[in-house]
Amino acid sequence: MKALCVVLTCCVSLAGAQAPDSLRVNGARISQHLQALSEFGKNPQGGVSRLAYSDADHQGREYAMRLMREAGLDVSIDLAGNIVGSRAGSDAGLKPLLIGSHIDSVPEGGNYDGDVGSLSAIEVAQRLEEAHIKLRHALQVIIFQNEEGGTIGSKAITSGLDDKLLNLKANSGKTIREGTALCGGDPNRLAEARRAPGSIAGYFELHIEQGGTLEQHKINIGVVEGIVGILHSEVTIEGFSNHAGTTPMDQRRDTLLSAARFIEKVNQVVTSIPGRQVGTVGWIRVQPGAYNVVPGKTVLGLELRDLDASKVETMFNRIRDKAKKIGAMNNTSFNFSEPIVTHPALTDASFQKLIDTTAKGLGLTTKLMPSGAGHDAQEIAVIGPVGMIFVPSIGGISHSPKEFSTPSDIENGAKVLLQTVVSFDRLK
Ligand code: GLV
Ligand code: MN
Ligand code: MN
């Protein structure tokens, strides 16, 4: 009976429409949109600095909303500041299907991270519109705010944001609370932005791989099996600022020396365990910061990642133990801020299969692989099944102006996204 209804609904919504299975994206249009988006926050190195909540981010969001309207989407901003482009489905009893990504960037980032998935999701909606195809499921194209600052927009609508996060300063200098309001959300009504577990049919995100596996193995499409968990902690080292010429070497409380020893230990702890886990100290601030002063205070950022949350916790505990010992060596103290943790997430097995079968049906090669980068999909996994499609990153470079994916690889990824959506709509 259910199958018959599906067939009938399909027939009704297909009157005068192109057959969904034959539908393909317009690759040239995606390239042109990527080029246009790259103007917002363009930097001299060839990439972008489109930091969340900056003017460039605002302009990029305006541009994306314009594209969404042109694609026939009904555009709104949710209470968390995410852009949502909606398209009605023919079966009101079905939960909405979500597709999307983000368009904010890291400082001096590239033109593909997030942008490829966001603009391809809009292209999917555009092609469905042009072909007069009405899916059974309502479709929502979502561009999440501030992915690079800790998957903030997607976290807001799933697990929620606490005061600690809302008061955190993003790279643009604005707090997440201020930024959410700037995006058109309402930080005082975030509870209403939350979506309940089970409230969506699923979420698919297309993204560049950001590593070199697909290119190395000459594979077209990565089918993501899981997304790593990420821990961030700000480490403050206190010592004593004193004259660099008169303070004997054995009487210094040099925090930069402690930081140097600490960074080395982070590397040792992370590499001493078998597996794919990674650990990074990605930024450091030294005070007062002069040739002739022993640095009395150093603050740095520690990041740990793995698919296994317990491994991340073990590494963090070991690193804290090592820090205590390092501090004692030259009379400095270490303080770790309460860690901000994004939990690892597995993608849905049936979604993996659907992406894989769809890609192979389009004549593309595939590989099942983990994601070492964080993604909005891992937050959305809290409320429903998710799937991710990767396309190759040339040279495995990302978070850099040198980030690049070829137009044909991007077109392949968008093709897979479109046909995965079509198949999902037919099957689920
Ligand atoms: C997001 O790009 C992350 O992995 O940090
Ligand atoms: Mn990204
Ligand atoms: Mn990124």
Side-chain angles (χ1 to χ4, degrees):
M1 182 62 188
K2 187 174 168 220
L4 179 63
C5 290
V6 170
V7 170
L8 286 176
T9 324
C10 257
C11 294
V12 172
S13 29
L14 275 180
Q18 185 180 340
D21 290 355
S22 66
L23 205 58
R24 297 291 177 266
V25 295
N26 181 338
R29 181 163 57 193
I30 300 172
S31 292
Q32 190 226 317
H33 289 168
L34 276 168
Q35 170 59 39
L37 181 59
S38 74
E39 290 298 318
F40 306 111
K42 185 178 186 153
N43 64 32
Q45 300 93 319
V48 289
S49 287
R50 196 161 51 241
L51 307 181
Y53 318 139
S54 64
D55 288 347
D57 185 39
H58 178 75
Q59 290 158 3
R61 286 165 57 91
E62 290 290 320
Y63 174 68
M65 285 191 272
R66 201 187 87 205
L67 294 183
M68 281 185 173
R69 285 188 200 99
E70 285 169 13
L73 292 165
D74 184 8
V75 182
S76 61
I77 293 178
D78 69 12
L79 286 165
N82 302 307
I83 302 170
V84 184
S86 305
R87 194 165 193 278
S90 62
D91 185 342
L94 294 176
K95 294 166 188 168
L97 176 62
L98 276 52
I99 53 175
S101 195
H102 65 98
I103 59 165
D104 63 302
S105 82
V106 293
E108 297 183 17
N111 290 315
Y112 300 86
D113 175 1
D115 303 349
V116 164
S118 300
L119 298 178
S120 297
I122 297 175
E123 173 67 19
V124 167
Q126 174 92 61
R127 289 300 294 127
L128 291 170
E129 185 69 6
E130 288 164 349
H132 307 292
I133 292 170
K134 192 164 192 175
L135 299 177
R136 295 163 57 237
H137 295 79
L139 185 70
Q140 293 183 2
V141 176
I142 303 211
I143 297 184
F144 294 105
Q145 61 114 327
N146 196 3
E147 189 271 354
E148 297 292 3
T151 49
I152 297 301
S154 47
K155 200 177 252 124
I157 63 167
T158 53
S159 315
L161 305 179
D162 57 17
D163 276 345
K164 187 176 74 177
L165 265 178
L166 284 167
N167 294 332
L168 198 73
K169 263 204 182 135
N171 280 326
S172 57
K174 313 252 180 4
T175 63
I176 286 169
R177 189 188 302 280
E178 291 163 342
T180 299
L182 273 174
C183 286
D186 185 344
N188 298 317
R189 293 177 59 198
L190 283 178
E192 294 167 57
R194 299 273 287 274
R195 298 197 189 205
S199 62
I200 63 168
Y203 172 68
F204 289 103
E205 181 169 351
L206 167 65
H207 205 281
I208 57 167
E209 179 197 342
Q210 305 184 271
T213 305
L214 294 175
E215 189 197 21
Q216 266 164 33
H217 294 92
K218 298 194 175 16
I219 302 280
N220 301 122
I221 297 291
V223 180
V224 177
E225 56 185 331
I227 308 162
V228 291
I230 305 175
L231 176 150
H232 284 174
S233 177
E234 190 170 289
V235 184
T236 304
I237 313 170
E238 305 267 10
F240 192 81
S241 297
N242 208 342
H243 199 295
T246 61
T247 312
M249 295 307 278
D250 63 351
Q251 286 168 39
R252 294 173 178 224
R253 299 178 61 197
D254 183 342
T255 57
L256 188 52
L257 179 61
S258 296
R261 290 174 174 154
F262 175 78
I263 294 166
E264 174 71 23
K265 276 290 172 227
V266 168
N267 191 277
Q268 275 177 20
V269 167
V270 173
T271 54
S272 66
I273 309 169
R276 298 176 51 110
Q277 67 282 349
V278 290
T280 308
V281 173
W283 60 267
I284 187 161
R285 284 195 300 268
V286 181
Q287 285 176 18
Y291 280 112
N292 52 2
V293 186
V294 175
K297 181 170 177 176
T298 298
V299 187
L300 54 83
L302 169 69
E303 183 189 86
L304 301 170
R305 298 185 182 218
D306 195 62
L307 264 183
D308 176 355
S310 67
K311 198 187 255 186
V312 170
E313 199 185 327
T314 303
M315 291 192 293
F316 187 52
N317 289 337
R318 284 192 195 168
I319 287 167
R320 274 197 301 201
D321 286 347
K322 300 281 183 204
K324 216 180 252 169
K325 289 187 187 128
I326 294 167
M329 283 166 80
N330 55 340
N331 202 10
T332 55
S333 66
F334 277 76
N335 189 287
F336 290 75
S337 72
E338 184 65 29
I340 292 176
V341 178
T342 303
H343 295 287
L346 296 179
T347 57
D348 183 86
S350 72
F351 282 29
Q352 291 172 15
K353 193 150 190 281
L354 187 60
I355 294 167
D356 189 61
T357 312
T358 304
K360 286 184 174 135
L362 290 163
L364 302 168
T365 51
T366 65
K367 181 175 174 57
L368 191 66
M369 61 189 299
S371 170
H375 296 288
D376 292 305
Q378 75 202 100
E379 304 290 351
I380 302 301
V382 171
I383 58 164
V386 302
M388 281 199 80
I389 302 159
F390 274 178
V391 291
S393 290
I394 301 304
I397 301 169
S398 185
H399 282 184
S400 154
K402 298 226 175 322
E403 180 176 273
F404 181 64
S405 293
T406 68
S408 75
D409 283 338
I410 293 170
E411 183 172 348
N412 283 340
K415 252 196 237 172
V416 174
L417 179 66
L418 171 57
Q419 277 307 312
T420 300
V421 165
V422 165
S423 302
F424 177 91
D425 188 63
R426 190 178 55 239
L427 299 169
K428 301 274 179 171

